[in-house]
Amino acid sequence: MTRNSTPTRDVFLPVAAQPSIDTLVEYAQDAEELGYDRAWLPETWGRDAVTVLTAIAERTDEIGIGTSIANVYSRSPALIGQTAATLQEVSDGRLRVGLGPSGPAVVEGWHGVDYDRPLRRTRETIDIIRLVLSGDRVEYDGDIFTLSGLRLRCDPPDTPPGLDAAGMGPKSVELAGRFADGWHALMLTRDGLGDRLDDLRRGAELGDREFEDLRVTLSLPCLALDDRERARGLARNHLAFYVGAMGTFYREALERQGYEDEAVEIASEWANRNHDAAEAAVSDELLDDLGVAGTPDECRERYAEWEAIDGVDAVSVSFPRGAEPGEIDATMRALAPE
């Protein structure tokens, strides 16, 4: 398979709490100035993505914006469609929507909603968003959602935003290939990414779609600092937190990719509140298989290796949850497009 010869460089804005909305806007403004193609914003249990993306859209000129991810439980599909239409308008057509089921830690623990039928809910949400954005009357009879009688009350966007689905497992990636416009990849080794790209291709074939038309965005944890040990320590903490504290999905993703023993040890130590031991269980090999952390020179070299992977259209620089604003800025500058 042959895709874009030169992937774009995106920024995945910090998932951890930042000092202010202005801080997040300033990251996006800096990314725009540095030549990054798009600023993606996660949404967990901090500031909501819609308000922050609106502020970014109003205070930037060219950089694309996107959600990665908006979960499909906390908003109805129609509301996500309305929001997408509005953000596309306020950004003058710069929006791309990344969505997915997230996980029980967020959906049940924060939103108080049963985490049921995540794949089916994601598929129906994509269907309904497309109907909303078309401007036609929304008539839908699904297994989860039944809608009838209304259409978007404002003009639909002239160019609907792309709809990407996030996923780590074979079936979720296949779903992205079958129904979405693209796939958001994370927590993957190079070999694991290759396996999931095969799933994406299979989904495209099942949906009678062209694989070449799908956009693949890889979220790559990065931290490029002169203090190499600080960079690797924060990356190690980030990985241990996600495997240990954010449900079974990340652990299972590592197990599928040949790191079963380490994944189980990390999760077990974290569950027993031995956080230092959980971090220590993250080997250098695992750390380097999943991200880029170290000095600026070595990070630039290793980042280029990820960009060279056939099938990836954008490599998004993301940041460990404990990174401070100055460290985020330094990493963005170290890995900026040339």
Side-chain angles (χ1 to χ4, degrees):
M1 60 187 172
T2 300
R3 302 293 292 269
N4 291 344
S5 57
T6 306
T8 63
R9 294 195 181 191
D10 295 351
V11 167
F12 191 94
L13 296 173
V15 67
Q18 296 300 301
S20 67
I21 291 176
D22 284 344
T23 305
L24 289 161
V25 172
E26 287 165 7
Y27 292 147
Q29 290 171 327
D30 288 344
E32 180 174 66
E33 182 178 341
L34 291 167
Y36 286 95
D37 188 68
R38 187 174 301 276
W40 298 98
L41 186 70
E43 185 178 70
T44 53
W45 51 92
R47 295 182 180 91
D48 78 276
V50 177
T51 305
V52 178
L53 285 175
T54 301
I56 290 172
E58 288 287 292
R59 291 160 62 182
T60 56
D61 299 313
E62 297 178 355
I63 193 168
I65 61 172
T67 57
S68 183
I69 63 166
N71 81 73
V72 297
Y73 290 90
S74 59
R75 297 178 180 89
S76 72
L79 179 56
I80 298 174
Q82 290 173 257
T83 302
T86 306
L87 281 173
Q88 185 74 327
E89 180 180 358
V90 80
S91 67
D92 294 324
R94 291 183 279 148
L95 176 69
R96 198 168 180 96
V97 179
L99 50 81
S102 185
V106 172
V107 172
E108 296 183 348
W110 181 246
H111 294 290
V113 178
D114 289 340
Y115 190 77
D116 64 317
R117 306 182 69 183
L119 294 180
R120 183 68 198 183
R121 182 176 288 264
T122 301
R123 183 259 173 94
E124 292 193 13
T125 296
I126 292 170
D127 289 344
I128 293 167
I129 292 172
R130 290 198 198 285
L131 286 172
V132 171
L133 293 173
S134 74
D136 295 335
R137 189 177 300 278
V138 177
E139 301 285 349
Y140 191 81
D141 185 15
D143 292 345
I144 297 175
F145 298 103
T146 301
L147 297 87
S148 179
L150 300 175
R151 59 165 54 90
L152 192 65
R153 206 168 191 174
C154 57
D155 291 336
D158 292 334
T159 303
L163 303 178
D164 299 336
M168 292 182 288
K171 289 299 182 182
S172 61
V173 178
E174 182 182 292
L175 181 147
R178 190 173 181 183
F179 300 107
D181 298 316
W183 168 49
H184 281 219
L186 72 163
M187 193 70 78
L188 292 167
T189 66
R190 290 177 183 80
D191 289 343
L193 179 60
D195 291 340
R196 298 292 78 78
L197 285 169
D198 289 341
D199 297 327
L200 189 71
R201 178 182 287 278
R202 182 170 60 253
E205 292 172 352
L206 289 170
D208 196 23
R209 312 171 75 206
E210 293 295 328
F211 176 78
E212 302 299 326
D213 292 338
L214 299 175
R215 183 168 184 80
V216 175
T217 299
L218 171 66
S219 177
L220 185 67
C222 300
L223 200 57
L225 304 176
D226 291 332
D227 185 343
R228 185 177 190 272
E229 292 310 308
R230 164 79 175 169
R232 294 181 71 78
L234 286 172
R236 190 170 269 110
N237 169 271
H238 180 85
L239 179 57
F241 172 80
Y242 272 86
V243 174
M246 293 299 290
T248 62
F249 299 100
Y250 297 96
R251 188 195 74 211
E252 291 167 354
L254 292 189
E255 291 173 351
R256 281 192 297 268
Q257 297 173 87
Y259 283 101
E260 181 174 1
D261 290 344
E262 285 186 57
V264 170
E265 183 179 358
I266 294 165
S268 176
E269 294 289 6
W270 195 278
N272 289 322
R273 301 192 176 185
N274 299 324
H275 294 174
D276 289 345
E279 291 179 29
V282 180
S283 67
D284 284 337
E285 179 186 8
L286 176 57
L287 198 64
D288 290 335
D289 263 358
L290 292 175
V292 173
T295 65
D297 284 343
E298 68 179 310
C299 286
R300 280 188 285 266
E301 181 179 347
R302 296 195 59 248
Y303 185 92
E305 294 172 358
W306 286 92
E307 279 190 316
I309 297 174
D310 189 26
V312 175
D313 299 292
V315 180
S316 183
V317 177
S318 67
F319 309 97
R321 68 190 189 104
E324 297 177 355
E327 294 166 335
I328 290 167
D329 180 72
T331 300
M332 276 202 298
R333 293 182 184 282
L335 298 177
E338 296 179 356

